[in-house]
Amino acid sequence: MSSVAEEVHHDDDHHDHHHTPGIKRWLYTTNHKDIGTLYLWFAFIMFLVGGAMAMVIRAELFQPGMQIVEPNFFNQMTTVHGLVMVFGAVMPAFTGLANWMVPMMIGAPDMALPRMNNWSFWILPFAFLILLSSLFLEGGGPNFGWTFYAPLSTTFSNDSTALFVFSVHIMGASSIMGAINVIVTIMNMRAPGMTYMKMPMFVWTWFITAFLLIAVMPVLAGAVTMVLTDKFFGTSFFNAAGGGDPVMFQHIFWFFGHPEVYIMILPAFGIISHIVPAFARKPLFGYASMVYATASIALLSFIVWAHHMFTTGMPVVAELFFMIATMLISVPTGVKVFNWVATMWRGAMTFEVPMLFALAFIVLFTIGGLSGLMLAITPVDFQYHDTYFVVAHFHYVLVTGAIFSIMAAAYYWLPKWTGKMFDIKLAQWHFWCSLISVNLLFFPMHFVGLAGMPRRIPDYALQFADFNKWISLGGFAFGLSQLIFLALLIKACRKKGDSVPARVWEGAEGLEWEVPSPAPYHTFETPPVIK
Amino acid sequence: MDKQSQHKKVVTKLLFVVVGMFGFGFALVPLYDVFCDLTGINGKTSNVAATYESVVIDESRLITVEFITRVNTGMPWEFYTETKKVKVHPGQLQQVDFYAKNPASRDIVGQAVPSVSPGPAAIYLNKTECFCFEQQPLKAGEETLMPMRFYVDPQIPADITYFTLSYTLYDVSEQAVAMN
Ligand SMILES: [Cu+2]
């Protein structure tokens, strides 16, 4: 044991000098905790930027008719809102959490490839600088939806598409590097005795997510490259006149796109699997089944992509196949929800803020899952396709799913990061305001969607006016609620509040709670002993 | 083995996956075409001329073939056929003429792209001659009659009694210039 420990220690030759002062500390840092913090702040800023765009969208949709923005600018808002939230907020937030927590959870001193870690973060701000600056160019930024369907992104787009493509390439490179780092860390850096089936669920879910990332981000890179060459270099991948096929774009895009939605939710499943046992004071029910469920969701995610394309005129056999495969995913997902509920069953539950967010996640994510199941049914999808019902569905799984889990994680581990308890009153305000407003924002979208209101259109028929007013009010309230979170985070970073013990939450289990709070700059330089 | 070389081993493998998946994205393009050619599920017809040799005409059946013509957005040509639909026996050779006129004041090269609906009928449509096999250059004001000859494969499943062949005409002048 001790010889292994020394070896690991000896090889760890990339120590940062503790706290190089000023900006250089952050620019050159290779410390997983620093990089985690950078990712998390970046994600939060992008969340506010993408949120501001959502506010523009909701302001325009507050009333029928055209009030505030031009239709072309509205389309740019829906497009860039989607891109910023997916690639700028949710994915970097999860990567930030992985940076902070994975090494601590497996008893490793740092990520396996610290220098690459620095790179994978620092190219991200440039990607988004490029994307966001394209909005200010003549003719505007991308306006073809975050899914950039050809021929909208080829024949009918403007020259800023080149910037869009370039920025997506950088985002892809960043997440691929991040994923490689996570995999290498988990495979090679686990403390002695930490077998795969002893790894915490957050580590497991990220391990599987990282494989999804390296499998599909290159396909996305291929898709944007084809758009680029079709648009600027005269190829005809998606141009029917030259022998290509625009429907093929959708196949390639969604081959990436569906696994992508699991990239954005599997780490969330991991987080919830930590928080629920901690506040129910019972070990996670069905650990092994959680691992297998995660793996089967990931595998199934590769054979369901065409459920986004039911209305493209596929043959019935294909529609049946994709319908059934999609519905099959609800089985492992159901296993997970069952396990969380079973963990709480007869537990000694308390309702601290992380637990509140986790419980809201379970209920609201399940609503999003159920509307997803409705969308999976081919014949009815013809009615729901491209309506606000779809918007309601994916915002339930991404906002009250992924983002609520990130907030739950932030509250759960923030005291470990700062060493101080966050402002609980503010946190409770943040939770309740968010919970109420988010449902006011997204629930009525189901109704207007079923009634036929199309998505991505800046104007709508009069009969949708009342619902849209409420939706917009919910949207503004949800946006404002996040400022409470901002205030809380600023307060937390200034280390205000009561000091907390190493095990911040009495029911919390895992190696991260063995190290002092705040977590020292270097942890587990000597690997811990795993029982 | 020390940690660094252990890391290197895993990274190398993962990089192979990344490069492989990038290639796979592009491999999807020919795969998609092959898959659609084999199954005919997206209604694409073959773009090489079929031969009409020792085909047995099945007089017991009649298939209705309907024709639709349209021009892509921004393409100024007139493009239509007087034959809206024909009834043919499987195996019977049939000719349909399509009329095209370029009313614009510039020369334009057109390319017609065929599509069959329902898709599964596509592989049973054999064209021995089609204007869609090549590009159609028309000078400003020029008009032309373009023949298309086809027969329906007698192997066509019994449940297909009616299908539509649609042609969309694209302006490919720019690409045509680039190629010459
Ligand atoms: Cu999907």
Side-chain angles (χ1 to χ4, degrees):
Chain A
M1 173 75 222
S2 72
S3 73
V4 178
E6 262 164 34
E7 190 184 66
V8 172
H9 186 84
H10 175 76
D11 287 326
D12 186 32
D13 56 345
H14 34 65
H15 276 206
D16 266 85
H17 304 293
H18 200 170
H19 293 245
T20 321
I23 184 83
K24 277 191 180 166
R25 166 183 172 191
W26 298 104
L27 275 177
Y28 299 137
T29 184
T30 56
N31 178 286
H32 73 103
K33 299 185 181 83
D34 280 352
I35 294 175
T37 306
L38 286 170
Y39 264 113
L40 286 168
W41 270 111
F42 178 77
F44 188 63
I45 292 165
M46 284 297 122
F47 177 60
L48 296 181
V49 170
M53 293 174 189
M55 295 301 106
V56 174
I57 295 169
R58 283 323 316 176
E60 178 56 53
L61 293 175
F62 187 73
Q63 294 175 45
M66 298 303 304
Q67 277 79 230
I68 300 169
V69 292
E70 294 292 314
N72 185 37
F73 188 70
F74 183 90
N75 291 347
Q76 292 171 41
M77 286 292 103
T78 55
T79 305
V80 184
H81 164 75
L83 290 166
V84 164
M85 289 306 203
V86 168
F87 296 105
V90 174
M91 291 170 67
F94 281 136
T95 313
L97 290 169
N99 263 288
W100 252 103
M101 303 319 297
V102 166
M104 283 211 274
M105 285 177 166
I106 62 174
D110 203 315
M111 297 293 278
L113 310 159
R115 265 176 234 294
M116 191 170 81
N117 208 9
N118 173 290
W119 272 100
S120 63
F121 173 76
W122 276 111
I123 59 177
L124 257 193
F126 294 97
F128 283 90
L129 212 63
I130 293 168
L131 179 68
L132 293 174
S133 65
S134 74
L135 287 172
F136 300 99
L137 296 181
E138 203 180 309
N143 59 3
F144 30 70
W146 85 275
T147 51
F148 61 103
Y149 275 19
L152 292 178
S153 57
T154 53
T155 317
F156 300 102
S157 66
N158 64 28
D159 285 349
S160 76
T161 307
L163 296 178
F164 158 80
V165 169
F166 190 46
S167 71
V168 171
H169 273 146
I170 303 176
M171 295 171 204
S174 162
S175 21
I176 289 170
M177 289 197 278
I180 290 178
N181 216 339
V182 168
I183 294 174
V184 180
T185 306
I186 295 174
M187 287 179 74
N188 290 353
M189 308 271 287
R190 280 168 292 129
M194 170 79 69
T195 59
Y196 279 107
M197 288 313 273
K198 277 187 188 164
M199 291 195 313
M201 271 319 290
F202 182 68
V203 179
W204 252 118
T205 52
W206 239 111
F207 191 47
I208 292 168
T209 302
F211 277 105
L212 285 181
L213 276 167
I214 61 163
V216 300
M217 289 312 281
V219 177
L220 174 71
V224 288
T225 308
M226 289 181 217
V227 164
L228 185 80
T229 58
D230 262 20
K231 178 153 184 64
F232 295 102
F233 304 111
T235 58
S236 294
F237 288 108
F238 310 127
N239 181 0
D245 190 336
V247 175
M248 188 179 69
F249 172 86
Q250 299 182 29
H251 282 289
I252 297 175
F253 178 81
W254 287 113
F255 184 84
F256 146 81
H258 194 83
E260 169 69 15
V261 309
Y262 291 107
I263 288 167
M264 291 190 285
I265 205 65
L266 293 185
F269 290 165
I271 291 163
I272 302 304
S273 304
H274 282 248
I275 294 176
V276 169
F279 297 98
R281 293 167 182 75
K282 274 175 65 194
L284 181 67
F285 182 88
Y287 168 84
S289 69
M290 282 298 209
V291 173
Y292 296 130
T294 312
S296 25
I297 291 173
L299 289 176
L300 282 172
S301 76
F302 284 103
I303 55 161
V304 298
W305 75 90
H307 60 210
H308 298 270
M309 305 167 54
F310 282 148
T311 60
T312 53
M314 279 191 292
V316 177
V317 193
E319 307 219 317
L320 276 174
F321 171 80
F322 286 110
M323 171 170 101
I324 292 165
T326 304
M327 294 173 120
L328 214 57
I329 294 190
S330 58
V331 177
T333 315
V335 168
K336 288 187 161 289
V337 175
F338 178 87
N339 285 350
W340 292 322
V341 175
T343 305
M344 289 185 275
W345 176 252
R346 295 194 168 162
M349 295 228 287
T350 50
F351 300 94
E352 285 85 346
V353 177
M355 184 62 160
L356 292 176
F357 272 100
L359 291 173
F361 170 95
I362 296 173
V363 175
L364 299 176
F365 173 78
T366 304
I367 292 178
L370 285 174
S371 59
L373 206 51
M374 290 170 72
L375 287 159
I377 304 168
T378 311
V380 294
D381 178 72
F382 276 72
Q383 181 193 347
Y384 308 155
H385 186 84
D386 249 340
T387 68
Y388 260 81
F389 190 81
V390 179
V391 179
H393 157 69
F394 67 73
H395 281 92
Y396 263 89
V397 290
L398 284 176
V399 179
T400 60
I403 290 186
F404 268 35
S405 83
I406 292 165
M407 287 169 177
Y411 285 119
Y412 186 55
W413 285 307
L414 194 56
K416 170 58 66 186
W417 300 335
T418 63
K420 307 280 178 186
M421 183 48 77
F422 51 79
D423 186 330
I424 294 175
K425 267 266 128 13
L426 270 186
Q428 281 168 338
W429 271 101
H430 175 224
F431 172 73
W432 289 107
C433 290
S434 297
L435 181 75
I436 294 165
S437 58
V438 86
N439 281 291
L440 182 60
L441 165 57
F442 294 124
F443 207 81
M445 286 185 183
H446 291 112
F447 307 136
V448 289
L450 289 178
M453 179 171 160
R455 63 189 281 211
R456 288 174 172 161
I457 309 263
D459 190 7
Y460 51 84
L462 283 180
Q463 70 265 32
F464 305 127
D466 287 350
F467 272 133
N468 271 285
K469 194 187 288 169
W470 286 110
I471 293 170
S472 285
L473 289 174
F476 302 145
F478 185 68
L480 287 175
S481 310
Q482 303 324 307
L483 300 181
I484 307 177
F485 192 35
L486 175 66
L488 182 142
L489 288 176
I490 291 173
K491 223 173 146 185
C493 285
R494 290 157 126 202
K495 314 245 169 175
K496 297 267 164 65
D498 304 331
S499 296
V500 290
R503 191 176 301 277
V504 176
W505 315 102
E506 56 163 89
E509 296 288 344
L511 286 176
E512 76 266 33
W513 307 110
E514 313 282 334
V515 301
S517 305
Y521 201 60
H522 298 291
T523 38
F524 295 127
E525 299 193 285
T526 316
V529 184
I530 313 293
K531 292 147 278 182
Chain B
M1 193 163 48
D2 71 348
K3 279 277 154 187
Q4 284 309 320
S5 54
Q6 257 185 46
H7 294 344
K8 227 169 250 160
K9 245 178 95 180
V10 183
V11 172
T12 319
K13 279 185 202 156
L14 294 176
L15 283 178
F16 271 113
V17 178
V18 170
V19 174
M21 287 310 291
F22 187 70
F24 177 75
F26 285 88
L28 281 174
V29 178
L31 280 176
Y32 180 82
D33 282 342
V34 169
F35 187 74
C36 291
D37 273 354
L38 289 179
T39 55
I41 50 176
N42 71 344
K44 269 192 185 169
T45 61
S46 170
N47 52 9
V48 283
T51 48
Y52 187 70
E53 271 166 20
S54 59
V55 179
V56 188
I57 300 179
D58 179 358
E59 305 223 309
S60 66
R61 296 176 59 192
L62 265 181
I63 310 275
T64 311
V65 185
E66 193 180 355
F67 301 98
I68 295 179
T69 54
R70 56 183 292 266
V71 290
N72 191 37
T73 324
M75 173 60 156
W77 286 15
E78 288 164 30
F79 174 48
Y80 60 85
T81 170
E82 313 244 278
T83 321
K84 295 300 172 210
K85 62 171 84 155
V86 289
K87 285 184 192 287
V88 290
H89 296 297
Q92 173 194 339
L93 198 63
Q94 175 77 35
Q95 173 162 345
V96 179
D97 292 326
F98 287 76
Y99 169 84
K101 181 180 180 184
N102 176 9
S105 52
R106 62 188 171 100
D107 302 350
I108 290 177
V109 182
Q111 168 73 58
V113 175
S115 173
V116 168
S117 180
I123 47 174
Y124 301 101
L125 176 70
N126 294 322
K127 288 176 286 188
T128 60
E129 187 184 342
C130 181
F131 52 93
C132 62
F133 293 154
E134 54 231 26
Q135 299 179 340
Q136 304 293 324
L138 283 189
K139 300 217 160 15
E142 196 185 343
E143 58 187 347
T144 182
L145 209 57
M146 308 181 293
M148 192 278 281
R149 286 157 156 275
F150 73 96
Y151 68 95
V152 178
D153 192 323
Q155 303 291 319
I156 190 165
D159 62 323
I160 304 179
T161 58
Y162 195 121
F163 65 85
T164 306
L165 170 59
S166 114
Y167 281 106
T168 307
L169 199 61
Y170 292 86
D171 178 352
V172 292
S173 309
E174 274 175 40
Q175 288 96 315
V177 168
M179 270 200 287
N180 292 341

